[in-house]
Amino acid sequence: MSELSHEPVLQQFPDAEWDEAAGAVIVPLGQARTMAEWLLGQGVDYCSNVTGVDYLEREVKEKITNDAGEVETVTRTEPARIDVVYHLYSMQNKTGPLVLKQRTSRDNAEAESLTPVWRSCDLQEREVFDLFGVNFKGHPDQRRILMWDEFEGHPMRKDYTEPFDYEWEPTPHNEILEKHQKGKVIV
Amino acid sequence: MSLELLIDILIATVPLMLIFATLFAFTTWLERKALARIQNRIGPNKVGIPCTRIGLFGLGQPAADGIKMIFKENIVPRGADRLFHLLAPILALIPSMLVLCFLPLDFPWLNENSVKAFLLDGAVIFFFAITGLNTLAVFMAGWASRNKYSLLGGMRAVAQMVSYEIPLVLSAVIVVMMVGSLNAGEIAGAQKGGNWFVFSPWGFAAFVIFFIAALAETNRSPFDLPEAESEIIAGYFTEYSGFKFALFFLAEYIAMFAISGLAVTLFLGGGDGPGLAVLPWLSVIWFLAKIFALIAVMIWLRGTLPRLRVDQLMGFAWKFMLPLSILNIFVAGFAWHAEQLDNKFIMVITWLISLAVLYGAASGLNQLNRGKVRPREYKYAE
Amino acid sequence: MSTAAAPNYELIQQDGLETNLLEVSMGPHHPSTHGVFRMDVKLDGETVVDLRPVFGYLHRNHEKLAENMSYLSSMPFTDRLDYFNSMTNNWAYALAAEKLIEVEVPERAEYLRVIMAELTRLVNHVSLVGFFINDLGALGTPLLYAFREREKILDLFEQASGARMMCNYFRFGGLRNDVPEGWLERAAKVVDHFPSFLDEYEQLLCENEIILSRTQGVGNLPRELAISAGVTGPMLRASGVAYDLRKVDQYGIYDRFKFRVPYTDGDTGDCYDRFMIRMLEMRESIEILKQALAGIPEGEIMGNAPRVFKPKPAESYGRIEGPKGELGFYLIADGTPKPYRYRVRPPSLINLTVLRDMCLGGKIADAVIILGSIDIVLGEVDR
């Protein structure tokens, strides 16, 4: 199956970045809806998969060549973020995939909902909201889908602590929280 | 109330109840086995003689079921209307058993006096009047259960039973017209010697309409919407358990017997059959055999056909069966007048004309109501 | 095309007669909802005015579990996602993981993979057709006829992998073990007998007047809505789009087999179309099976996959044409033996996006049939 090239996307939206390692287009802030509508006009009519990925703050070692021409390892801190990943295909041209990523911070996570463009994002964005806590602006019906309505917390986050008993203590505290912070409770 | 009267009443009623209760047990067994065989499985075959391992083809199953039902806990939902919850199965059972008395069964032990009360001159009308109470009982059950599913089932049941009463009655009217009397015994007697009403075109059409309407009246497949298992679980008897459920079951089957009995009386000649001159009580055997034949057809249809939707059901009753049964009355009327002329040639002509008219009307109405449903063709991509 | 709220429905108000809507919860405990699935339905008489599906009764957080286990340990868990089709679930996961490392799957393993996947497709479609007619009210007769065939195929699975339903048969780079002696002949016998069963089924059912009038015109799904809502599988092809991943992606060795993809001639699909497309797809699966069983070579069944599966940091999205739709696995590897992110793209959940649009305005009996024709399995919807 032929590939859906990302070059036209980068030409149309100069602010977008291309992440080589992941093979994905990083959507600039606030332009997600416009980019999606433009893609729909180009024939990308099928959004196959919407998911969230949680990255805590971590240190990344990279090998770069510095000014003197030597290869050295540099450590930098990657900030914490949540990615919302979209896999897009074109059914009429039978091409794909094109991967879009919306990046948002972990506190106060917000993203633009692409449900008005591709209806298949409806239930999947609700799942990202439920399990990761990302608030989708413009989603017509944002509520929890897999957990029950009164549940507190977002289970798929990497720092989620299981409470002792879901029915009585929706959030962990006291001993459970201490144990987790000491690294003894597997999440 | 003298002793003789009491004995006469008991002789007339008690054997009837015993016989039909036994037949009910046998029919439940037959239904389970027949449905199982249609579905490529075996059905009950373990419960035979108690305390032994003899299976006896599962004939002990009805007894085991009855004992189980009696011992089950009687659960009434909280907030349900207890009085009507109790009354509904009783009210469903009484009309069905009552009309069993009016079937023209000449048991050999009955004498003139004991059946006097049952030789009603308006037996057929009495039958239809009393079976109307079934509708009330079903709705009572649905309402008193305080359950939305039961309410839905009850409402569907009322709509269905009321709609299908009209073709039922209109097809029975044809027989009454031809015979000229409402007495069940006289109608059965008029068909003696093998000229049953089902062998004439208008009688056959009336029989088919009557049978389909009878299926709808007793809530059997394919008209079993009120107890549709896949949508509303058990419909109007969702909330019934134990003995009350057994009573509903009994009421449904006895109603099936009663309506089949009426169909046999009206169309299939009552107790008519070969060998009557020799053994007069053979008529009872023939009558029961014919009832069983109709019950077997009902079970067969249950295992084979899927269910109709409620608006299609109503459409079928009002737009197909009702015009057809009214047309049938006219055709039968002409045929009766032709009979009075007592001319063989005219009879043959009348038969052919009525056959053509009825068949044409049935096909025409079918085309009109069927809509645009037909099998479709599909494309293929390489 | 956005999800509108319930349309403004005018209740009948007449001379002091006030009508209310009846709210029924076709709850998790129901004979016809194919699992623990709830629909909150608002009815006006028998007409559905609003319908809200409620998910999550079978949520086992499979994705988070897989982030704490090695890649291969979650292979048995993929069996339990869509518990009717365990083999195709395994294949989708193996496909996604094989994209992360360079491994070549041997010929015989590829052929066996295709055979197992097409047998799974037969199992699924035959069960669905049986359950669909059961929902229509035929009291289980077609269901039990269909299950006769399913039992034969499940026996084959048991001989090959040791389990009837939760097979756990695929590995990264091949299969777990080869099929026993005589298995291919037995499979060929089962496949040869299948078309006669399909003929009997079609003769009994596909021209039955009651089935025709109850399924035609019920649950219309227009083509644009189907594409936009991400509906895939037989449901999409019933709405007129000829998109089959076996032809588009050509994963595995599907490019070597000659088969056709049935789809509807038109712009909308209803329940009857979905039912018939599945019947036709079964015939095409039999074609593929005959070709595969005839052409399977001898050889190894396991490629050179590394002993410890520790791929370099990369992402992959592997998708297959499962019997219910497009089943996809999205894996993010970060150099450790455990995946950083493991995501299942469930076809049943996404096909349910259009349940409400299809059911509004119909009767409640139709809602059950439409749900039956979408073909959901709760293990996949809730994971």
Side-chain angles (χ1 to χ4, degrees), chain B residues 39 148 156 303 312 374 378, chain C residues 23 46 139 141 216 273:
Chain B
Q39 290 174 0
K148 283 175 189 161
R156 282 176 173 180
Q312 292 166 349
R374 60 183 57 87
Y378 293 92
Chain C
E23 288 187 29
E46 287 256 342
L139 274 181
T141 310
Q216 287 193 0
D273 290 327

Side-chain angles (χ1 to χ4, degrees), chain B residues 139-281:
Chain B
F139 190 66
M140 225 197 253
W143 178 262
S145 300
R146 200 181 189 239
N147 180 352
K148 283 175 189 161
Y149 288 128
S150 306
L151 191 62
L152 266 180
M155 291 197 291
R156 282 176 173 180
V158 168
Q160 173 184 315
M161 288 163 117
V162 162
S163 320
Y164 277 90
E165 290 239 1
I166 301 185
L168 193 78
V169 174
L170 285 181
S171 43
V173 159
I174 292 181
V175 174
V176 170
M177 224 166 56
M178 303 297 270
V179 172
S181 151
L182 287 166
N183 192 338
E186 278 186 34
I187 294 180
Q191 299 177 58
K192 259 202 193 347
N195 60 339
W196 300 349
F197 277 121
V198 79
F199 292 141
S200 52
W202 49 90
F204 183 69
F207 174 62
V208 169
I209 296 176
F210 189 92
F211 190 67
I212 298 179
L215 280 177
E217 282 294 311
T218 50
N219 293 335
R220 293 285 293 184
S221 224
F223 301 109
D224 61 349
L225 247 76
E227 39 181 82
E229 193 196 87
S230 47
E231 296 139 31
I232 44 180
I233 307 176
Y236 58 90
F237 44 74
T238 315
E239 299 286 347
Y240 281 87
S241 58
F243 196 57
K244 294 184 195 164
F245 183 73
L247 279 182
F248 261 121
F249 220 53
L250 182 66
E252 180 174 322
Y253 278 80
I254 301 278
M256 265 166 64
F257 283 133
I259 278 202
S260 307
L262 189 66
V264 166
T265 315
L266 291 176
F267 298 100
L268 290 175
D272 198 29
L276 273 187
V278 183
L279 299 161
W281 52 266

Side-chain angles (χ1 to χ4, degrees), chain A residues 59-72:
Chain A
E59 300 191 338
V60 175
K61 294 196 172 67
E62 274 184 344
K63 289 193 165 58
I64 55 164
T65 32
N66 64 1
D67 303 326
E70 297 162 347
V71 174
E72 63 173 15

